[in-house]
């Protein structure tokens, strides 16, 4: 029987693990590719997290619920200081600044496609 020895985590190539069996090599290749995929998914959702956190639609007294609501799609956009008093105000709310819907540069409705695309 052969002797086992520790391998350095940073200098051992995945293909060298093939000596331990093809399944071990495939497992570590899977981990590597999953890491890359999840990193790309994380980067692609950063704009959504920014837009969600900038909103003022979610409010809860419980800090945990407030935190979860702040980073959800329901918090996207800001109502003006007077509040969203009608369904039209809610639909035409601004993405970003706390201004009247007629004065804002970008409305939530204009960015909804991109949010769905990045989220999917």
């Amino acid at each position: 029987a052969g002797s086992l020895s520790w391998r350095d985590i940073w200098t051992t190539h995945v293909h060298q693990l093939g000596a331990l069996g093809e399944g071990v090599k495939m497992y570590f290749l899977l981990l590597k590719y999953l890491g890359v995929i999840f990193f790309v998914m994380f980067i692609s959702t950063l704009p959504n997290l920014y837009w969600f956190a900038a909103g003022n639609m979610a409010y809860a007294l419980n800090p945990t619920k407030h935190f979860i609501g702040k980073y959800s799609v329901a918090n996207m956009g800001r109502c003006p200081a007077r509040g969203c008093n009608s369904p039209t105000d809610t639909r035409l709310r601004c993405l970003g600044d706390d201004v009247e819907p007629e004065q804002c540069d970008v409305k939530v409705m204009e960015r909804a496609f991109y949010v769905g695309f990045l989220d999917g």
Side-chain angles (χ1 to χ4, degrees):
S3 63
L4 298 176
S5 62
W6 289 99
R7 295 185 183 268
D8 187 45
I9 193 168
W10 301 114
T11 60
T12 303
H13 196 270
V14 128
H15 295 288
Q16 292 173 330
L17 296 174
L20 300 173
E22 197 63 28
V24 173
K25 180 178 96 172
M26 288 172 38
Y27 171 73
F28 283 101
L29 281 172
L30 174 71
L31 285 181
K32 175 180 154 183
Y33 293 130
L34 282 176
V36 170
I37 288 170
F38 279 112
F39 181 73
V40 169
M41 289 169 41
F42 167 72
I43 295 299
S44 71
T45 59
L46 284 178
N48 284 352
L49 287 175
Y50 172 75
W51 287 338
F52 300 160
N56 69 352
M57 300 296 292
Y59 178 75
L61 293 176
N62 182 326
T64 305
K65 290 180 182 178
H66 180 71
F67 177 80
I68 292 170
K70 184 165 181 63
Y71 292 100
S72 73
V73 70
N75 194 44
M76 189 172 167
R78 298 182 70 81
C79 282
R82 63 176 168 75
C84 289
N85 297 324
S86 71
T88 304
D89 284 348
T90 303
R91 193 172 56 253
L92 298 177
R93 64 188 184 271
C94 294
L95 184 66
D97 298 330
D98 210 4
V99 297
E100 294 297 320
E102 299 82 27
Q103 300 169 344
C104 70
D105 296 330
V106 181
K107 293 182 175 31
V108 170
M109 195 169 64
E110 296 168 358
R111 293 292 188 250
F113 171 78
Y114 302 109
V115 170
F117 178 77
L118 291 174
D119 199 34

